[in-house]
Amino acid sequence: MSDKPILDHQIFTELKDATGEDFAAELVNTFLEEAPGMIGDLKDALAASDADGYRRAAHSIKSNANTFGAAALAELAKQIELGALPAADDLSDATQLEAALTKAGTALRSLIDD
């Protein structure tokens, strides 16, 4: 697991300052709605032994997580993106991403629900 914090508050604050509080909240909500589908894409690519699709899905998760300061999620997705394609029945990467997404989602929701 990553030694990165769940959330980099400075990055989120910079996003909120740049876009406005309401739009930042909308962006977060959209990400949290779409991220499970990105993890689904990762699982689908794994099942199909599609290394490029697997890396693209991990890259999408990483990029989005970085936008919101979800540091631990972004770091894990980066490691997956740069790593080798695991065996088709090895869902450990997806399981770890789902756990990191849950933690990031909780942290992000606490910031937009204030």
Side-chain angles (χ1 to χ4, degrees):
M1 204 67 190
S2 172
D3 61 349
K4 299 273 186 180
I6 293 171
L7 194 65
D8 182 327
H9 291 275
Q10 181 178 348
I11 291 174
F12 184 79
T13 299
E14 290 170 3
L15 173 70
K16 195 166 62 170
D17 290 347
T19 64
E21 193 166 331
D22 290 343
F23 191 60
E26 184 180 328
L27 291 171
V28 166
N29 285 325
T30 299
F31 168 63
L32 294 177
E33 288 170 11
E34 293 178 355
M38 293 179 209
I39 293 173
D41 292 343
L42 183 100
K43 289 178 181 178
D44 291 346
L46 178 63
S49 298
D50 176 3
D52 288 337
Y54 190 76
R55 282 191 291 277
R56 274 193 306 275
H59 177 83
S60 294
I61 295 165
K62 176 193 74 177
S63 297
N64 279 277
N66 276 327
T67 298
F68 300 104
L73 176 61
E75 179 64 24
L76 180 58
K78 177 183 174 184
Q79 291 170 7
I80 292 168
E81 177 186 13
L82 298 176
L85 181 70
D89 62 348
D90 181 355
L91 295 175
S92 60
D93 288 346
T95 301
Q96 289 179 30
L97 276 176
E98 288 169 331
L101 175 60
T102 297
K103 290 177 183 177
T106 299
L108 287 166
R109 282 189 186 95
S110 74
L111 294 177
I112 63 173
D113 291 342
D114 284 350

